[in-house]
Amino acid sequence: MKLIMLGAPGAGKGTQAKMIAEHYSIPHISTGDIFRANIKEGTELGKKAKEYMDQGALVPDELTCDLVMDRIAKDDCKNGFVLDGFPRTIPQAEALEKALDAAGQSMDYAVDVDVPDENIIGRMSGRRACLNCGATYHIVAIPPKQEGICDKCGEKLVQRDDDKEETVKNRLKVYHDQTQPLIQFYQDKDILRTVDGTRPMEEVFGAIQAILGA
Ligand code: AP5
Ligand code: MG
Ligand code: ZN
């Protein structure tokens, strides 16, 4: 099963992608997580990506596309994968299509997790993340068992650098300008499916399962 998660920043793409990856035993590939891991390790890619991410802007396609194509060519992606945060521009979607085409493959679904802008700011300001294992929480909606501590690995939870209100506003603008056109792109290919992302996370997952089956 090859899936794309679409949706605004904070819509819950990552939350759902993790659940999907676990349930269907396929890798979860998040470009945001890959960039953050590179920033944490201080790599050249991380240094370049950080300049854009801190502004809420997109990392240029040339730094992003090859990275994803290399990743999905790996052995563990043979039975499928779930892409989270990629593609995010029409050129990225075209690059993905071209690479899969060349391998005689295609994406199965693009799932749009739909959440209105009004809900987004609150989600972002309450988000806490574990930089060690990638788990994500929300201080009100999905709190960890012990405040500030990751349930899964015991590491301290942090707020993401780009979750400041001003940066979130810019990320939303960038989303509407550059990423939202992908909804029509995948609608035209007949693989777009929309779920209501304002529901509790288990219900959103249920709606996704109903689409994917099993
Ligand atoms: P990325 O990491 O992809 O960030 P994003 O798209 O802005 O999305 P988020 O990760 O913020 O939100 P999410 O939808 O995953 O929501 P989550 O599940 O965490 O990208 C960051 C940056 O990297 C970009 O700005 C860009 O600079 C760069 N980048 C990445 N990919 C790129 C690309 N392809 N091209 C160019 N640049 C790229 O949930 C959010 C919060 O809500 C959490 O607290 C969660 O616990 C809570 N929550 C989730 N579901 C629910 C629910 N159902 N009810 C209540 N709360 C919920
Ligand atoms: Mg995410
Ligand atoms: Zn953790």
Short mmCIF file of all heavy atoms in Angstrom, two decimals, residues 7-16 18 30-33 35-36 49 52-54 56-61 64 68 84-89 92 123-124 126-128 136-139 141-142 160 162-163 171 197-202 204, ligand 1:
data_model
loop_
_atom_site.label_atom_id
_atom_site.label_comp_id
_atom_site.label_asym_id
_atom_site.label_seq_id
_atom_site.Cartn_x
_atom_site.Cartn_y
_atom_site.Cartn_z
N GLY A 7 -2.52 17.56 4.03
CA GLY A 7 -3.20 18.32 5.07
C GLY A 7 -2.36 19.47 5.54
O GLY A 7 -1.13 19.47 5.38
N ALA A 8 -3.03 20.46 6.14
CA ALA A 8 -2.35 21.66 6.62
C ALA A 8 -1.35 21.29 7.72
O ALA A 8 -1.43 20.20 8.29
CB ALA A 8 -3.40 22.63 7.17
N PRO A 9 -0.42 22.20 8.03
CA PRO A 9 0.43 21.97 9.19
C PRO A 9 -0.44 21.77 10.43
O PRO A 9 -1.39 22.53 10.64
CB PRO A 9 1.26 23.27 9.30
CG PRO A 9 0.62 24.25 8.38
CD PRO A 9 -0.13 23.47 7.35
N GLY A 10 -0.17 20.74 11.18
CA GLY A 10 -0.95 20.51 12.40
C GLY A 10 -2.25 19.78 12.18
O GLY A 10 -3.02 19.56 13.13
N ALA A 11 -2.55 19.35 10.96
CA ALA A 11 -3.81 18.66 10.70
C ALA A 11 -3.83 17.27 11.34
O ALA A 11 -4.89 16.69 11.56
CB ALA A 11 -4.04 18.53 9.20
N GLY A 12 -2.64 16.74 11.63
CA GLY A 12 -2.57 15.40 12.20
C GLY A 12 -2.01 14.37 11.23
O GLY A 12 -2.18 13.17 11.45
N LYS A 13 -1.32 14.83 10.20
CA LYS A 13 -0.72 13.91 9.23
C LYS A 13 0.24 12.94 9.92
O LYS A 13 0.20 11.74 9.70
CB LYS A 13 0.10 14.67 8.17
CG LYS A 13 -0.67 15.67 7.35
CD LYS A 13 0.24 16.35 6.33
CE LYS A 13 1.35 17.21 6.95
NZ LYS A 13 0.87 18.36 7.71
N GLY A 14 1.11 13.50 10.75
CA GLY A 14 2.11 12.68 11.43
C GLY A 14 1.47 11.69 12.39
O GLY A 14 1.83 10.51 12.42
N THR A 15 0.50 12.16 13.16
CA THR A 15 -0.20 11.31 14.12
C THR A 15 -0.83 10.12 13.41
O THR A 15 -0.68 8.96 13.82
CB THR A 15 -1.30 12.13 14.86
OG1 THR A 15 -0.66 13.23 15.51
CG2 THR A 15 -2.05 11.29 15.86
N GLN A 16 -1.53 10.39 12.31
CA GLN A 16 -2.20 9.31 11.58
C GLN A 16 -1.20 8.43 10.84
O GLN A 16 -1.35 7.20 10.80
CB GLN A 16 -3.22 9.89 10.58
CG GLN A 16 -4.39 10.62 11.25
CD GLN A 16 -5.17 9.73 12.20
OE1 GLN A 16 -5.36 8.53 11.96
NE2 GLN A 16 -5.64 10.30 13.31
N LYS A 18 1.76 7.62 11.67
CA LYS A 18 2.38 6.67 12.60
C LYS A 18 1.46 5.50 12.87
O LYS A 18 1.88 4.34 12.96
CB LYS A 18 2.73 7.37 13.91
CG LYS A 18 4.00 8.20 13.79
CD LYS A 18 4.35 8.91 15.09
CE LYS A 18 5.25 10.09 14.81
NZ LYS A 18 4.64 11.38 15.15
N SER A 30 8.55 10.74 6.84
CA SER A 30 8.20 12.14 7.05
C SER A 30 9.40 13.01 6.69
O SER A 30 10.46 12.90 7.32
CB SER A 30 7.82 12.37 8.52
OG SER A 30 7.98 13.73 8.88
N THR A 31 9.23 13.86 5.68
CA THR A 31 10.36 14.73 5.29
C THR A 31 10.68 15.69 6.43
O THR A 31 11.85 15.97 6.69
CB THR A 31 10.05 15.50 3.99
OG1 THR A 31 8.68 15.89 3.98
CG2 THR A 31 10.33 14.65 2.78
N GLY A 32 9.65 16.17 7.14
CA GLY A 32 9.91 17.06 8.28
C GLY A 32 10.78 16.36 9.33
O GLY A 32 11.75 16.93 9.84
N ASP A 33 10.44 15.10 9.65
CA ASP A 33 11.24 14.34 10.64
C ASP A 33 12.67 14.13 10.14
O ASP A 33 13.62 14.21 10.93
CB ASP A 33 10.60 12.97 10.92
CG ASP A 33 9.33 13.06 11.76
OD1 ASP A 33 9.01 14.16 12.25
OD2 ASP A 33 8.64 12.02 11.92
N PHE A 35 14.36 16.07 8.07
CA PHE A 35 15.08 17.34 8.21
C PHE A 35 15.43 17.61 9.67
O PHE A 35 16.55 18.03 9.98
CB PHE A 35 14.26 18.51 7.64
CG PHE A 35 14.11 18.49 6.14
CD1 PHE A 35 12.89 18.77 5.54
CD2 PHE A 35 15.20 18.21 5.32
CE1 PHE A 35 12.75 18.76 4.16
CE2 PHE A 35 15.08 18.19 3.94
CZ PHE A 35 13.84 18.47 3.35
N ARG A 36 14.48 17.37 10.58
CA ARG A 36 14.76 17.65 12.00
C ARG A 36 15.87 16.74 12.53
O ARG A 36 16.70 17.19 13.33
CB ARG A 36 13.47 17.51 12.84
CG ARG A 36 12.57 18.74 12.75
CD ARG A 36 11.34 18.64 13.65
NE ARG A 36 10.38 17.67 13.18
CZ ARG A 36 9.46 17.90 12.23
NH1 ARG A 36 9.37 19.09 11.67
NH2 ARG A 36 8.63 16.95 11.84
N ALA A 49 18.42 23.19 5.60
CA ALA A 49 16.97 23.06 5.81
C ALA A 49 16.50 24.00 6.92
O ALA A 49 15.43 24.61 6.83
CB ALA A 49 16.62 21.62 6.15
N TYR A 52 15.25 27.55 6.14
CA TYR A 52 13.90 27.66 5.59
C TYR A 52 12.85 27.32 6.64
O TYR A 52 11.84 28.01 6.78
CB TYR A 52 13.75 26.73 4.38
CG TYR A 52 14.69 27.07 3.27
CD1 TYR A 52 15.93 26.45 3.17
CD2 TYR A 52 14.35 28.04 2.33
CE1 TYR A 52 16.81 26.78 2.15
CE2 TYR A 52 15.23 28.38 1.30
CZ TYR A 52 16.45 27.75 1.22
OH TYR A 52 17.32 28.07 0.22
N MET A 53 13.09 26.26 7.37
CA MET A 53 12.08 25.78 8.32
C MET A 53 11.79 26.81 9.40
O MET A 53 10.65 27.00 9.80
CB MET A 53 12.54 24.46 8.94
CG MET A 53 12.49 23.33 7.93
SD MET A 53 13.28 21.82 8.50
CE MET A 53 12.04 21.18 9.63
N ASP A 54 12.83 27.49 9.89
CA ASP A 54 12.64 28.49 10.94
C ASP A 54 11.76 29.65 10.48
O ASP A 54 11.14 30.33 11.30
CB ASP A 54 13.98 29.02 11.44
CG ASP A 54 14.66 28.02 12.38
OD1 ASP A 54 14.01 27.01 12.74
OD2 ASP A 54 15.83 28.24 12.75
N GLY A 56 9.27 29.12 8.40
CA GLY A 56 7.99 28.53 7.99
C GLY A 56 7.90 28.39 6.48
O GLY A 56 6.83 28.15 5.93
N ALA A 57 9.04 28.54 5.79
CA ALA A 57 9.07 28.40 4.33
C ALA A 57 9.37 26.96 3.96
O ALA A 57 9.77 26.16 4.80
CB ALA A 57 10.14 29.32 3.74
N LEU A 58 9.18 26.62 2.67
CA LEU A 58 9.50 25.26 2.23
C LEU A 58 10.98 25.13 1.92
O LEU A 58 11.60 26.06 1.40
CB LEU A 58 8.70 24.91 0.97
CG LEU A 58 7.18 24.78 1.13
CD1 LEU A 58 6.55 24.31 -0.18
CD2 LEU A 58 6.82 23.83 2.26
N VAL A 59 11.53 24.00 2.23
CA VAL A 59 12.90 23.67 1.82
C VAL A 59 12.84 23.46 0.30
O VAL A 59 11.88 22.88 -0.21
CB VAL A 59 13.35 22.38 2.55
CG1 VAL A 59 14.74 21.96 2.11
CG2 VAL A 59 13.29 22.57 4.07
N PRO A 60 13.84 23.98 -0.45
CA PRO A 60 13.76 23.88 -1.92
C PRO A 60 13.60 22.44 -2.42
O PRO A 60 14.13 21.50 -1.81
CB PRO A 60 15.10 24.46 -2.39
CG PRO A 60 15.56 25.33 -1.27
CD PRO A 60 15.03 24.71 -0.01
N ASP A 61 12.85 22.29 -3.52
CA ASP A 61 12.57 20.97 -4.08
C ASP A 61 13.85 20.17 -4.34
O ASP A 61 13.87 18.95 -4.15
CB ASP A 61 11.79 21.11 -5.40
CG ASP A 61 10.36 21.58 -5.17
OD1 ASP A 61 9.89 21.54 -4.01
OD2 ASP A 61 9.71 22.00 -6.15
N THR A 64 14.90 18.24 -1.47
CA THR A 64 13.87 17.38 -0.91
C THR A 64 13.59 16.14 -1.76
O THR A 64 13.50 15.03 -1.24
CB THR A 64 12.56 18.19 -0.75
OG1 THR A 64 12.87 19.41 -0.07
CG2 THR A 64 11.52 17.44 0.02
N VAL A 68 13.76 11.82 -0.91
CA VAL A 68 12.59 10.93 -0.84
C VAL A 68 12.73 9.78 -1.84
O VAL A 68 12.44 8.63 -1.51
CB VAL A 68 11.28 11.72 -1.07
CG1 VAL A 68 10.08 10.78 -1.11
CG2 VAL A 68 11.10 12.78 0.00
N ASP A 84 4.52 11.37 4.54
CA ASP A 84 3.93 12.40 5.42
C ASP A 84 4.70 13.70 5.22
O ASP A 84 5.87 13.78 5.56
CB ASP A 84 4.03 11.85 6.86
CG ASP A 84 3.90 12.91 7.93
OD1 ASP A 84 3.41 14.02 7.64
OD2 ASP A 84 4.30 12.61 9.08
N GLY A 85 4.04 14.68 4.61
CA GLY A 85 4.71 15.96 4.37
C GLY A 85 5.41 16.02 3.03
O GLY A 85 6.12 16.98 2.73
N PHE A 86 5.21 15.04 2.21
CA PHE A 86 5.74 15.00 0.85
C PHE A 86 4.75 14.24 -0.01
O PHE A 86 4.29 13.19 0.42
CB PHE A 86 7.11 14.30 0.80
CG PHE A 86 7.73 14.31 -0.57
CD1 PHE A 86 8.63 15.28 -0.92
CD2 PHE A 86 7.36 13.34 -1.51
CE1 PHE A 86 9.18 15.31 -2.21
CE2 PHE A 86 7.89 13.37 -2.80
CZ PHE A 86 8.81 14.35 -3.14
N PRO A 87 4.44 14.68 -1.23
CA PRO A 87 4.83 15.94 -1.83
C PRO A 87 4.08 17.13 -1.24
O PRO A 87 3.01 16.96 -0.66
CB PRO A 87 4.45 15.75 -3.30
CG PRO A 87 3.35 14.74 -3.29
CD PRO A 87 3.61 13.85 -2.11
N ARG A 88 4.64 18.29 -1.43
CA ARG A 88 4.07 19.52 -0.89
C ARG A 88 4.03 20.62 -1.92
O ARG A 88 3.64 21.74 -1.60
CB ARG A 88 5.02 20.00 0.17
CG ARG A 88 4.59 20.14 1.52
CD ARG A 88 5.81 20.32 2.35
NE ARG A 88 5.37 20.97 3.52
CZ ARG A 88 5.23 20.32 4.67
NH1 ARG A 88 5.51 19.07 4.81
NH2 ARG A 88 4.81 20.99 5.69
N THR A 89 4.47 20.30 -3.12
CA THR A 89 4.39 21.25 -4.24
C THR A 89 4.07 20.39 -5.47
O THR A 89 4.31 19.18 -5.46
CB THR A 89 5.75 21.95 -4.51
OG1 THR A 89 6.72 20.97 -4.88
CG2 THR A 89 6.24 22.73 -3.29
N GLN A 92 7.09 18.57 -6.81
CA GLN A 92 7.42 17.38 -6.01
C GLN A 92 6.50 16.22 -6.39
O GLN A 92 6.94 15.07 -6.50
CB GLN A 92 7.30 17.67 -4.51
CG GLN A 92 8.39 18.58 -3.97
CD GLN A 92 8.28 18.81 -2.47
OE1 GLN A 92 7.50 18.13 -1.77
NE2 GLN A 92 9.03 19.76 -1.96
N ARG A 123 -3.71 23.71 18.08
CA ARG A 123 -3.03 22.42 18.00
C ARG A 123 -1.53 22.58 18.08
O ARG A 123 -0.83 21.84 18.75
CB ARG A 123 -3.36 21.76 16.67
CG ARG A 123 -4.74 21.20 16.68
CD ARG A 123 -4.73 19.91 15.92
NE ARG A 123 -6.08 19.41 15.84
CZ ARG A 123 -6.44 18.45 15.04
NH1 ARG A 123 -5.56 17.93 14.22
NH2 ARG A 123 -7.68 18.02 15.04
N MET A 124 -1.04 23.58 17.35
CA MET A 124 0.40 23.78 17.29
C MET A 124 0.96 24.25 18.60
O MET A 124 2.03 23.83 19.02
CB MET A 124 0.74 24.84 16.24
CG MET A 124 0.25 24.48 14.91
SD MET A 124 0.93 22.93 14.46
CE MET A 124 1.38 23.34 12.83
N GLY A 126 -0.10 23.66 21.47
CA GLY A 126 -0.14 22.60 22.48
C GLY A 126 0.69 21.38 22.13
O GLY A 126 0.80 20.45 22.92
N ARG A 127 1.28 21.37 20.96
CA ARG A 127 2.03 20.18 20.54
C ARG A 127 3.35 20.07 21.31
O ARG A 127 4.05 21.03 21.52
CB ARG A 127 2.34 20.22 19.06
CG ARG A 127 3.30 19.07 18.68
CD ARG A 127 3.36 18.79 17.22
NE ARG A 127 3.68 19.95 16.44
CZ ARG A 127 3.62 19.96 15.11
NH1 ARG A 127 3.22 18.89 14.46
NH2 ARG A 127 3.92 21.05 14.45
N ARG A 128 3.66 18.85 21.74
CA ARG A 128 4.97 18.56 22.32
C ARG A 128 5.50 17.34 21.60
O ARG A 128 4.75 16.41 21.32
CB ARG A 128 4.87 18.27 23.83
CG ARG A 128 4.38 19.44 24.66
CD ARG A 128 5.35 20.62 24.66
NE ARG A 128 4.84 21.72 25.47
CZ ARG A 128 4.04 22.69 25.02
NH1 ARG A 128 3.67 22.69 23.74
NH2 ARG A 128 3.63 23.64 25.83
N THR A 136 4.52 12.19 19.16
CA THR A 136 3.95 13.53 19.26
C THR A 136 2.77 13.52 20.23
O THR A 136 1.96 12.59 20.21
CB THR A 136 3.46 14.00 17.88
OG1 THR A 136 4.51 13.86 16.95
CG2 THR A 136 3.05 15.45 17.92
N TYR A 137 2.66 14.56 21.02
CA TYR A 137 1.57 14.68 22.00
C TYR A 137 0.91 16.04 21.86
O TYR A 137 1.42 16.92 21.17
CB TYR A 137 2.13 14.53 23.42
CG TYR A 137 2.87 13.24 23.62
CD1 TYR A 137 4.22 13.13 23.29
CD2 TYR A 137 2.21 12.11 24.10
CE1 TYR A 137 4.90 11.93 23.44
CE2 TYR A 137 2.88 10.91 24.26
CZ TYR A 137 4.23 10.83 23.93
OH TYR A 137 4.90 9.64 24.08
N HIS A 138 -0.22 16.19 22.54
CA HIS A 138 -0.83 17.51 22.66
C HIS A 138 -1.21 17.69 24.13
O HIS A 138 -1.81 16.79 24.72
CB HIS A 138 -2.08 17.63 21.78
CG HIS A 138 -2.62 19.02 21.76
ND1 HIS A 138 -3.41 19.51 22.77
CD2 HIS A 138 -2.43 20.04 20.88
CE1 HIS A 138 -3.71 20.77 22.49
NE2 HIS A 138 -3.14 21.12 21.35
N ILE A 139 -0.82 18.83 24.72
CA ILE A 139 -0.97 18.98 26.17
C ILE A 139 -2.42 18.82 26.65
O ILE A 139 -2.64 18.41 27.77
CB ILE A 139 -0.35 20.30 26.69
CG1 ILE A 139 -0.85 21.49 25.89
CG2 ILE A 139 1.18 20.24 26.68
CD1 ILE A 139 -0.42 22.84 26.46
N ALA A 141 -5.30 17.59 24.19
CA ALA A 141 -6.02 16.53 23.47
C ALA A 141 -5.38 15.15 23.62
O ALA A 141 -6.09 14.15 23.74
CB ALA A 141 -6.13 16.89 21.98
N ILE A 142 -4.05 15.10 23.61
CA ILE A 142 -3.35 13.80 23.66
C ILE A 142 -2.16 13.93 24.62
O ILE A 142 -1.00 13.91 24.20
CB ILE A 142 -2.87 13.39 22.24
CG1 ILE A 142 -4.05 13.44 21.24
CG2 ILE A 142 -2.26 11.98 22.25
CD1 ILE A 142 -3.64 13.40 19.79
N ARG A 160 8.39 22.35 19.23
CA ARG A 160 9.16 22.54 18.00
C ARG A 160 9.45 24.01 17.76
O ARG A 160 8.62 24.87 18.03
CB ARG A 160 8.35 21.98 16.82
CG ARG A 160 8.86 20.62 16.38
CD ARG A 160 7.91 19.94 15.43
NE ARG A 160 7.63 20.72 14.22
CZ ARG A 160 6.93 20.24 13.20
NH1 ARG A 160 6.44 19.01 13.26
NH2 ARG A 160 6.69 20.99 12.15
N ASP A 162 9.46 25.67 15.09
CA ASP A 162 8.58 26.35 14.13
C ASP A 162 7.12 26.37 14.59
O ASP A 162 6.24 26.70 13.82
CB ASP A 162 8.72 25.74 12.72
CG ASP A 162 8.37 24.26 12.66
OD1 ASP A 162 8.22 23.63 13.73
OD2 ASP A 162 8.25 23.73 11.54
N ASP A 163 6.86 26.05 15.85
CA ASP A 163 5.48 26.10 16.36
C ASP A 163 5.12 27.42 17.04
O ASP A 163 4.08 27.53 17.69
CB ASP A 163 5.21 24.91 17.31
CG ASP A 163 4.88 23.64 16.53
OD1 ASP A 163 4.68 23.72 15.30
OD2 ASP A 163 4.81 22.56 17.15
N ARG A 171 3.41 29.28 7.89
CA ARG A 171 3.30 27.91 7.37
C ARG A 171 1.93 27.68 6.76
O ARG A 171 1.80 27.00 5.74
CB ARG A 171 3.57 26.91 8.49
CG ARG A 171 5.06 26.79 8.81
CD ARG A 171 5.31 26.15 10.15
NE ARG A 171 4.83 24.78 10.23
CZ ARG A 171 4.66 24.13 11.38
NH1 ARG A 171 4.93 24.72 12.53
NH2 ARG A 171 4.23 22.90 11.37
N GLY A 197 -10.48 15.78 9.90
CA GLY A 197 -9.39 15.74 10.87
C GLY A 197 -9.69 16.42 12.19
O GLY A 197 -8.84 16.45 13.08
N THR A 198 -10.91 16.97 12.32
CA THR A 198 -11.26 17.63 13.59
C THR A 198 -11.78 16.60 14.61
O THR A 198 -11.95 16.91 15.78
CB THR A 198 -12.35 18.72 13.41
OG1 THR A 198 -13.57 18.09 12.98
CG2 THR A 198 -11.92 19.76 12.39
N ARG A 199 -12.04 15.37 14.17
CA ARG A 199 -12.52 14.30 15.06
C ARG A 199 -11.37 13.81 15.94
O ARG A 199 -10.20 13.99 15.60
CB ARG A 199 -13.06 13.12 14.25
CG ARG A 199 -14.02 13.48 13.13
CD ARG A 199 -15.33 14.02 13.62
NE ARG A 199 -15.96 13.13 14.60
CZ ARG A 199 -16.85 13.52 15.49
NH1 ARG A 199 -17.21 14.78 15.56
NH2 ARG A 199 -17.37 12.64 16.32
N PRO A 200 -11.69 13.13 17.08
CA PRO A 200 -10.60 12.56 17.88
C PRO A 200 -9.75 11.60 17.05
O PRO A 200 -10.24 10.99 16.10
CB PRO A 200 -11.37 11.80 18.98
CG PRO A 200 -12.70 12.44 19.05
CD PRO A 200 -13.01 12.92 17.65
N MET A 201 -8.47 11.44 17.44
CA MET A 201 -7.53 10.75 16.54
C MET A 201 -7.94 9.31 16.22
O MET A 201 -7.71 8.85 15.11
CB MET A 201 -6.09 10.82 17.05
CG MET A 201 -5.81 10.07 18.30
SD MET A 201 -4.02 10.14 18.60
CE MET A 201 -3.91 9.05 20.01
N GLU A 202 -8.57 8.60 17.16
CA GLU A 202 -8.99 7.20 16.88
C GLU A 202 -10.09 7.19 15.81
O GLU A 202 -10.13 6.27 14.99
CB GLU A 202 -9.52 6.49 18.13
CG GLU A 202 -8.47 6.18 19.19
CD GLU A 202 -8.14 7.40 20.05
OE1 GLU A 202 -8.86 8.42 19.95
OE2 GLU A 202 -7.15 7.33 20.80
N VAL A 204 -10.50 9.47 13.45
CA VAL A 204 -9.87 9.81 12.17
C VAL A 204 -9.21 8.55 11.60
O VAL A 204 -9.36 8.22 10.42
CB VAL A 204 -8.80 10.93 12.33
CG1 VAL A 204 -8.17 11.27 10.99
CG2 VAL A 204 -9.42 12.17 12.96
P1 AP5 B 1 6.46 19.02 8.72
O1 AP5 B 1 7.23 18.42 9.82
O2 AP5 B 1 5.90 18.15 7.67
O3 AP5 B 1 5.36 19.96 9.34
P2 AP5 B 1 3.88 20.35 8.85
O4 AP5 B 1 3.40 19.93 7.54
O5 AP5 B 1 3.82 21.78 9.10
O6 AP5 B 1 3.01 19.48 9.70
P3 AP5 B 1 3.17 19.19 11.20
O7 AP5 B 1 4.18 18.12 11.42
O8 AP5 B 1 3.35 20.48 11.91
O9 AP5 B 1 1.71 18.68 11.53
P4 AP5 B 1 1.05 17.26 11.34
O10 AP5 B 1 0.00 17.36 10.28
O11 AP5 B 1 2.07 16.18 11.20
O12 AP5 B 1 0.31 17.16 12.71
P5 AP5 B 1 0.61 16.30 14.02
O13 AP5 B 1 0.22 14.89 13.79
O14 AP5 B 1 1.96 16.58 14.57
O15 AP5 B 1 7.38 20.10 8.01
C1 AP5 B 1 8.10 21.09 8.76
C2 AP5 B 1 8.89 21.96 7.81
O16 AP5 B 1 9.84 21.16 7.10
C3 AP5 B 1 8.08 22.66 6.73
O17 AP5 B 1 7.53 23.88 7.20
C4 AP5 B 1 9.16 22.86 5.67
O18 AP5 B 1 9.99 23.94 5.98
C5 AP5 B 1 9.98 21.59 5.77
N1 AP5 B 1 9.51 20.53 4.86
C6 AP5 B 1 9.02 19.31 5.23
N2 AP5 B 1 8.68 18.60 4.14
C7 AP5 B 1 8.94 19.37 3.06
C8 AP5 B 1 8.78 19.20 1.67
N3 AP5 B 1 8.25 18.07 1.14
N4 AP5 B 1 9.16 20.21 0.86
C9 AP5 B 1 9.68 21.33 1.35
N5 AP5 B 1 9.85 21.59 2.66
C10 AP5 B 1 9.48 20.60 3.53
O19 AP5 B 1 -0.50 16.95 14.98
C11 AP5 B 1 -0.41 18.30 15.40
C12 AP5 B 1 -0.86 18.43 16.87
O20 AP5 B 1 -2.24 18.11 16.97
C13 AP5 B 1 -0.14 17.46 17.83
O21 AP5 B 1 0.03 18.08 19.06
C14 AP5 B 1 -1.10 16.26 17.91
O22 AP5 B 1 -0.94 15.57 19.13
C15 AP5 B 1 -2.45 16.96 17.81
N6 AP5 B 1 -3.46 16.12 17.16
C16 AP5 B 1 -3.27 15.28 16.09
N7 AP5 B 1 -4.43 14.69 15.75
C17 AP5 B 1 -5.38 15.21 16.59
C18 AP5 B 1 -6.79 15.03 16.70
N8 AP5 B 1 -7.47 14.19 15.89
N9 AP5 B 1 -7.43 15.75 17.66
C19 AP5 B 1 -6.76 16.60 18.48
N10 AP5 B 1 -5.42 16.81 18.42
C20 AP5 B 1 -4.74 16.13 17.47
#
